[in-house]
Amino acid sequence: MGAEEDDDFARSPPPGSPPLLSEEQLLHLARQGWLSLPLPQNLLKTVANLFKSSARFFELTNREKAVLYPSKSGTEFGFYTVPNEKEYITFRCRIHTGYQPRLSSPQLPLVQNLEDYAAKAWQEGALLLWRILCDITRWSGLDLSIWNDILDGTQTMPDSEKQLPYTLLRVFRYSPATGFAEKHTDLGLLTICIGDRGGLEVLDRLKSTDDRPVWIDSRTGPHTATILVGQTLKALSNGMLSPGIHRVVENPSGRNSVVFALRHSPKHAVDFSLFGGHGLVSAKDLWKFIQVGKVNINSIKERRDAQRARHEAERLAAGDHQGWDVCRG
C-alpha cells in the first residue's frame, strides 16, 4: 500500500457493518480488559497458513534461525529462544522480502512464504482491531478522526527497518508441558492473540481479589481470538479501559500462537485533548512512559529453574515407571 492508501485507511471507517461489538461486549472489554471473539474467515485462513509456514521455519536449527532473524532491542525484533520452554520470532518489518532482500540461498522461498503470511496476518489483524477501536470511539461519543495520526503507518508491515514501527507481530512455539509466560499486560492499544490449543489464561477482574486471583481459560482455539486492551489505550482513556492481564500456562501438547500488537505510530505526537485529557506528548516520550511498567514476556529465573527441575523429575519418574511395567509384563 502506498502513502495515499495508508492515509485513507486511517481516515475512513473500516469495511463491514458497524458496530462489530455489542454494547455488552464493549462493557466487558472495558471492565475486564479482554474479550473472546470468533475469527473472521479471512484471518482464520491466513493464520492457519502462517502456522504451517512458521512450523517449517522452527524446524531449522537455532543457529540458522538466529542468522536469518538476528535478535535486536531485547525481545522486540527477530528470533528468540528460551531453551525447553518456547521460541518465537518477532516481526516489525520485512527482512528478506522487502526492498532489498538480504538472503540468497535455498532458504529464500521458506522465509518469503513466512514473511508474506506474516504481513497478511498483520494487515488483517490491524483491520479487525481498527474496527474495534471504531466501536470503542463511537461508544465513547468521540470522533473517529482521533486515530488519524495515532494509527498512521501501523496497518501494514513495513518493507524495511527504515520505517520501523512500535507495532509488531509475534509467532510463538511453546514446548509441550514446559512452555509458559508469566502474567503481564501488553504495552500498546489493542492486541489480538490466536492459538491452536489452550494455554492462554486471562484474569477475571470482577471475581479476583489481591489474595485470590481468578484465572479463566480464554477459550482460544483455531477459530477464536482473544482481544486484549493495552497500557496505551488505558492511558488514552484515562483509565476507563482496563488493560487485560493474562498469562500462558503449560499445555501437555505444546502450543502455537500468533500475537499481533497494535501500537501507536512513532510518526506523530499524541494529543490527549482529543480523548478528553490534557497535553501533547511526543510518540517517543509516550512509548518510554508506557514501557516503565513493562513486564518481560519471559518468566523470572526462579520459576523457570523450578519448572525445569519438576519437568526433569517427572520425565525420570515416567521413565522408571515404564521400565517397571516392562519388567512386570
Side-chain angles (χ1 to χ4, degrees), residues 110-141:
L110 186 155
V111 294
Q112 285 180 330
N113 186 263
L114 176 63
E115 290 187 13
D116 284 346
Y117 282 123
K120 190 173 176 62
W122 180 307
Q123 186 171 16
E124 292 172 358
L127 185 59
L128 176 61
L129 296 185
W130 168 222
R131 288 198 65 185
I132 293 173
L133 285 175
C134 284
D135 285 352
I136 293 172
T137 307
R138 294 187 182 100
W139 188 49
S140 304

Side-chain angles (χ1 to χ4, degrees), residues 214-236:
V214 177
W215 293 97
I216 60 177
D217 188 276
S218 67
R219 298 188 295 278
T220 52
H223 302 282
T224 308
T226 299
I227 308 300
L228 299 164
V229 173
Q231 291 288 351
T232 305
L233 191 54
K234 175 191 175 183
L236 291 174

Side-chain angles (χ1 to χ4, degrees), residues 75-126:
T75 61
E76 291 280 303
F77 191 107
F79 173 72
Y80 194 89
T81 182
V82 181
N84 301 318
E85 285 183 23
K86 58 178 172 273
E87 56 183 329
Y88 54 93
I89 180 170
T90 301
F91 290 102
R92 289 175 66 189
C93 66
R94 289 178 179 268
I95 299 297
H96 302 294
T97 57
Y99 294 129
Q100 295 179 319
R102 302 180 184 179
L103 192 65
S104 177
S105 80
Q107 294 168 339
L108 183 58
L110 186 155
V111 294
Q112 285 180 330
N113 186 263
L114 176 63
E115 290 187 13
D116 284 346
Y117 282 123
K120 190 173 176 62
W122 180 307
Q123 186 171 16
E124 292 172 358

Side-chain angles (χ1 to χ4, degrees), residues 179-250:
F180 70 98
E182 288 286 350
K183 72 172 184 178
H184 62 284
T185 58
D186 290 345
L187 301 180
L189 297 164
L190 290 171
T191 299
I192 181 170
C193 303
I194 306 166
D196 64 347
R197 296 184 182 91
L200 178 65
E201 293 187 342
V202 288
L203 185 72
D204 188 329
R205 288 178 174 272
L206 303 183
K207 296 181 180 179
S208 295
T209 64
D210 291 340
D211 298 328
R212 296 185 63 182
V214 177
W215 293 97
I216 60 177
D217 188 276
S218 67
R219 298 188 295 278
T220 52
H223 302 282
T224 308
T226 299
I227 308 300
L228 299 164
V229 173
Q231 291 288 351
T232 305
L233 191 54
K234 175 191 175 183
L236 291 174
S237 69
N238 196 27
M240 294 297 292
L241 287 149
S242 300
I245 301 175
H246 57 289
R247 67 182 184 181
V248 176
V249 297
E250 301 88 338

